[in-house]
């Protein structure tokens, strides 16, 4: 089915508000999920409405929560998402941080008691659109072990970055630290096919081509030991340093069982003029020019930006099955 | 030959001060190189004295430079290393940042006109020893392409992290974003042996097992496209946002030809109490406990910390050839 972005948002707002989510939170969630869908990130898009709604109904997420901001240090805000959705907390960070950053040069937002972070690219890009540089990390339900281990302790723990580029779209990088998304292993299980040996480990920490064994084990990090070490850094930043639950303490984001996930996200926002001086805009442009002058190279983030621009003009196509599920809610 | 750490430092100070480096800079460099050697990181240790000294003699590095600190925004310092060695600039950051961080909650040091960053672990650990969390990135002479490309635009662009852990050594992570160090390819060329196909690309961007072709091409990033994207983030932070030279603009750190490398480093230091509240120390300890409870897992950084403790007590062994070179200078 074909929708304008506004129509898709209305659909999501309706589904949420009928299921114990207030209007303001529903609008924030709908904006984020529809933007993810428009960017071609269906896994973080309208497919999530079902779980989000069921969790609100079951009280696993608080649809009436208002994120609370506390600023005890000039350059740091702590945001308690109060077990609501993550997006209203990101909206609060996007409203509060720019003024702090312009004054202090750098600012940090530590978000705890939070939920699914969605497409980080969309959040960091908001800061780049305001002329700022943003780094963001998030933890997530545990699916990866520390290197050499068997126990899932880290989520796929994404890292995202955005920088403003003069007379161009922001440069946006957003990557999860697992080699592939867990959804790919789930799809292989459904089809009953084998997975490549470097995607996952079984419960004994051995590489496996069996999707069932992989789902009982752990996902392989991108870049082996180094990727696992990066996931550990993210867990320290987004989990320990925000006061959030660790990935291994968090409940599932896909069902309505158990207590609130209580995940964490950290945003570090930099005023480029503070760190790089007056010539910094030219230097940002120069770096992008050099990278894109190599014929084989595609700038990260460009595909999503183009897709969103087209979606704004022409709308989006959403699978009938996804729409049917949303309409039932 | 066997040395106490103090004797090794004196040896390095002597070699540098006889070659157009002043006493204060020589001491800072000697401390860093001997600590790297003691940590088992010979590639960033006493082997570097030869190139460091020749560069001072040739004026490629300024042995009399005093790093200059400028603070125009409360939470950001810009440090101009003035084409001297990097370590005096790191010393200045380690002296200036803690007070700023305790006050502001987070602080950033942007270092430009700098030189070889050495073992980042040793720099970030200094902040963890003071109860702070530190993230550090550095660019380096270009050796990696953007993903899909052929031109070396990024250095191996390391990322380091340290956090204080109650009643334990700090947790320290330090990783370069190339799959293997370029030194391994150079060693293979010397021995005339083939390299694994996933270490490097030839000048056409194709994987190669030929060490000579690899050295004319680019190093492979750890974690393929994702590793290359992380190297890009580091280049933005350590290059563009500090006002330093980019990796692809930098001269070699191994010879005395050309102008000063002018590299960049960025340090972000966080007061854990500001972001995580009062319980944060326990949470840092809890995360380390959980990770190390998995029998197959070795905590990153522990080997280097143990080696340094042993070196402090028993001294270090340095290859005769390295000592002979230093004594000749």
């Amino acid at each position: 089915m074909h929708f304008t972005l506004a129509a898709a948002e209305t659909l999501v707002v309706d589904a949420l508000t009928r299921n114990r989510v207030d209007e303001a939170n529903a609008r924030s969630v709908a904006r984020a999920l529809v933007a993810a869908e428009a960017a071609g990130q269906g896994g973080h898009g309208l497919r999530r409405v079902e779980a989000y709604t069921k969790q609100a109904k079951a009280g696993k997420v608080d649809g009436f929560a208002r994120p609370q901001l506390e600023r005890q240090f000039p350059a740091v805000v702590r945001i308690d998402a109060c077990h609501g959705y993550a997006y209203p907390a990101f909206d609060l960070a996007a409203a509060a941080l720019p003024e702090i950053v312009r004054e202090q040069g750098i600012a940090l937002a530590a978000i705890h008691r939070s939920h699914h972070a969605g497409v980080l690219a969309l959040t960091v890009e908001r800061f780049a659109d305001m002329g700022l540089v943003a780094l963001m990390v998030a933890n997530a339900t545990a699916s990866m072990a520390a290197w050499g281990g068997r126990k899932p302790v880290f989520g796929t723990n994404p890292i995202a970055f955005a920088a403003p580029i003069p007379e161009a779209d922001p440069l946006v990088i957003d990557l999860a630290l697992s080699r592939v998304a867990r959804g790919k292993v789930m799809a292989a299980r459904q089809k009953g096919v084998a997975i490549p040996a470097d995607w996952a480990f079984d419960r004994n920490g051995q590489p496996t081509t069996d999707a069932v064994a992989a789902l009982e084990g752990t996902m392989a990090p991108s870049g082996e030991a180094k990727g696992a070490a990066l996931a550990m850094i993210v867990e320290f930043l987004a989990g320990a340093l925000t006061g959030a639950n660790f990935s291994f303490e968090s409940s599932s984001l896909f069902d309505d069982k158990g207590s609130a996930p209580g995940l964490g996200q950290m945003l570090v926002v930099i005023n480029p003029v503070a760190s790089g001086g007056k010539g910094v805009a030219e230097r940002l442009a120069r770096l992008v020019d050099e990278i894109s002058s190599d014929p084989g190279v595609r700038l990260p983030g460009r595909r999503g930006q183009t897709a969103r621009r087209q979606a704004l003009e022409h709308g989006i196509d959403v699978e009938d099955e996804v729409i049917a599920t949303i309409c039932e809610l």
Side-chain angles (χ1 to χ4, degrees), chain A:
Chain A
M1 268 179 85
H2 191 81
F3 288 88
T4 65
L5 298 189
E9 282 186 29
T10 302
L11 188 79
V12 176
V13 168
D14 283 352
L16 290 163
T17 51
R18 283 166 205 266
N19 288 278
R20 306 190 60 206
V21 179
D22 70 23
E23 174 87 15
N25 284 328
R27 291 220 164 272
S28 172
V29 170
R31 253 194 313 271
L33 295 185
V34 171
E37 194 76 37
Q41 300 277 344
H44 298 286
L46 298 189
R47 281 181 186 282
R48 295 277 182 160
V49 174
E50 185 180 9
Y52 275 29
T53 308
K54 286 185 173 166
Q55 289 170 14
K57 215 167 169 182
K60 187 172 176 177
V61 65
D62 180 357
F64 304 97
R66 284 284 168 276
Q68 301 297 316
L69 184 148
E70 187 189 47
R71 186 179 173 197
Q72 294 199 343
F73 292 78
V76 173
V77 299
R78 297 195 70 202
I79 297 179
D80 181 352
C82 297
H83 293 314
Y85 297 107
Y87 310 111
F90 301 162
D91 293 344
L92 184 56
L97 288 183
E99 195 187 324
I100 298 175
V101 177
R102 289 190 205 287
E103 193 181 285
Q104 305 292 326
I106 185 171
L108 182 152
I111 304 171
H112 66 288
R113 298 211 295 171
S114 190
H115 193 260
H116 174 232
V119 178
L120 267 52
L122 296 169
T123 299
V124 290
E125 195 176 14
R126 292 164 75 171
F127 294 93
D129 284 337
M130 296 184 267
L132 302 168
V133 168
L135 255 178
M136 185 176 185
V137 290
N139 67 357
T141 318
S143 59
M144 297 205 297
W147 191 245
R150 302 173 189 188
K151 282 200 293 190
V153 283
F154 309 131
T156 51
N157 286 11
I159 298 177
F161 172 82
I165 308 300
E167 293 168 51
D169 281 338
L171 189 285
V172 182
I173 296 171
D174 180 1
L175 53 98
L177 290 169
S178 57
R179 193 170 162 80
V180 299
R182 201 155 183 272
K184 285 199 174 188
V185 181
M186 292 196 266
R189 182 184 56 183
Q190 276 190 327
K191 290 186 201 150
V193 298
I195 56 170
D198 57 2
W199 281 13
F201 303 106
D202 64 21
R203 68 170 83 180
N204 295 316
Q206 299 304 312
T208 182
T209 57
D210 176 1
V212 176
L215 290 169
E216 290 166 354
T218 56
M219 296 299 297
S222 168
E224 304 177 340
K226 292 184 181 187
L230 288 166
M232 194 184 296
I233 295 178
V234 172
E235 196 66 40
F236 271 94
L237 295 172
L241 285 176
T242 60
N245 276 347
F246 292 121
S247 293
F248 58 86
E249 295 170 329
S250 159
S251 59
S252 170
L253 294 168
F254 289 101
D255 65 33
D256 56 2
K257 311 279 187 301
S259 54
L263 291 164
Q265 293 97 23
M266 181 180 280
L267 261 161
V268 174
V269 183
I270 301 168
N271 177 350
V273 175
S275 68
K278 281 183 187 166
V280 73
E282 279 163 40
R283 296 296 288 165
L284 290 164
R286 172 82 182 88
L287 180 52
V288 166
D289 281 351
E290 182 72 18
I291 293 166
S292 39
S293 71
D294 196 343
V297 173
R298 237 182 18 209
L299 278 182
R302 288 290 182 252
R303 191 166 20 175
Q305 287 162 334
T306 304
R308 281 164 62 210
R309 236 189 305 270
Q310 287 174 345
L312 195 62
E313 200 172 334
H314 305 296
I316 47 174
D317 288 313
V318 186
E319 290 156 73
D320 292 346
E321 155 218 340
V322 173
I323 297 302
T325 308
I326 296 176
C327 290
E328 268 172 41
L329 292 164

